[in-house]
Amino acid sequence: MPPGQYVVDDFPVLTAGPTPEVSLAEWTFTISGEVDAERRWTWEEFRALPAEEFTVDIHCVTKWSQLDTFWEGVSLDTLLDGVDTSAEFLVARCDGGYSTNLPLEDVLDGKAWIAFAYDGEPLEPEHGGPARLLVPHLYLWKSAKWVRELLLVDEDEPGFWESLGYHNHGDPWQEQRYWGD
Ligand SMILES: Nc1nc2c(c(=O)[nH]1)N[C@H]1C(S)=C(S)[C@@H](COP(=O)(O)O)O[C@H]1N2
Ligand SMILES: [Mo]
């Protein structure tokens, strides 16, 4: 367990604002910014991509952790495969306006997914359904719910919580909770 965390058995919901609604017919997922060509998938196209089941521990900056959570999603390695970019960072953008920033190296090599199922069921809207980013090795505010776009950028840009004093990187093992940690 990362320092300062305690284990919970339930799955708390933590959202800054209401749960946005989007129909699967309108849902798209886009990779944009510093790319050779923008990539966009409809829900059907996204669900036709190779998906993986994975079991991970998740850690919230408010100190709860949940162990062995079971998910299904598309790896960011799959989504970024063949994308030619000079970018070293991304901004994940969501329905409802939330955003979070990440170095590309934190989402490649099997470290991040766009998850659409939790515990064998479609991901519930409160937890980010139809699909959320999951980056389990960082604090959970980096795991953007209702994610719709990955904007690839050369210069790192703070997201929603990062602009409000949360740590830019958010490694729970180093207790990077707030700015200055
Ligand atoms: N779009 C969006 N994603 C978000 C948030 C949010 O407010 N909006 N909150 C973040 C925070 S601070 C946490 S701890 C986790 C909570 O995920 P959960 O509600 O599934 O537990 O979602 C993260 N992703
Ligand atoms: Mo959080």
Side-chain angles (χ1 to χ4, degrees):
M1 282 278 286
Q5 299 293 114
Y6 62 88
V7 176
V8 295
D9 291 326
D10 59 330
F11 192 172
V13 171
L14 280 146
T15 304
T19 295
E21 273 178 52
V22 62
S23 73
L24 294 183
E26 285 167 292
W27 187 93
T28 54
F29 190 79
T30 305
I31 294 179
S32 63
E34 295 297 322
V35 289
D36 48 339
E38 197 168 281
R39 308 286 201 284
R40 181 166 293 164
W41 295 266
T42 63
W43 180 255
E44 271 188 12
E45 290 164 346
F46 171 76
R47 289 294 284 103
L49 294 169
E52 297 170 9
E53 296 183 335
F54 55 99
T55 299
V56 292
D57 300 343
I58 54 179
H59 309 290
C60 178
V61 70
T62 62
K63 301 200 169 178
W64 58 266
S65 292
Q66 220 195 335
L67 306 182
D68 296 328
T69 60
F70 175 59
W71 302 82
E72 186 174 0
V74 178
S75 163
L76 261 63
D77 296 310
T78 301
L79 291 164
L80 290 165
D81 186 40
V83 171
D84 190 13
T85 182
S86 60
E88 288 180 34
F89 304 94
L90 67 81
V91 180
R93 294 169 153 180
C94 307
D95 280 324
Y98 186 85
S99 62
T100 189
N101 58 314
L102 291 147
L104 268 185
E105 65 174 13
D106 274 292
V107 301
L108 295 173
D109 300 322
K111 293 200 282 283
W113 297 265
I114 303 297
F116 54 80
Y118 173 76
D119 237 354
E121 304 287 341
L123 185 58
E124 287 177 44
E126 312 79 71
H127 286 300
R132 77 182 294 168
L133 179 60
L134 205 76
V135 193
H137 76 285
L138 298 176
Y139 283 123
L140 204 57
W141 86 77
K142 295 285 184 183
S143 292
K145 303 194 280 191
W146 317 292
V147 65
R148 291 285 297 277
E149 181 175 6
L150 301 180
L151 175 70
L152 273 58
V153 290
D154 291 325
E155 302 272 325
D156 195 14
E157 295 174 18
F160 179 79
W161 282 122
E162 294 84 2
S163 309
L164 293 172
Y166 280 36
H167 198 279
N168 196 51
H169 186 225
D171 180 347
W173 299 95
Q174 299 192 45
E175 281 209 87
Q176 294 173 340
R177 297 178 190 274
Y178 305 107
W179 195 87
D181 281 349

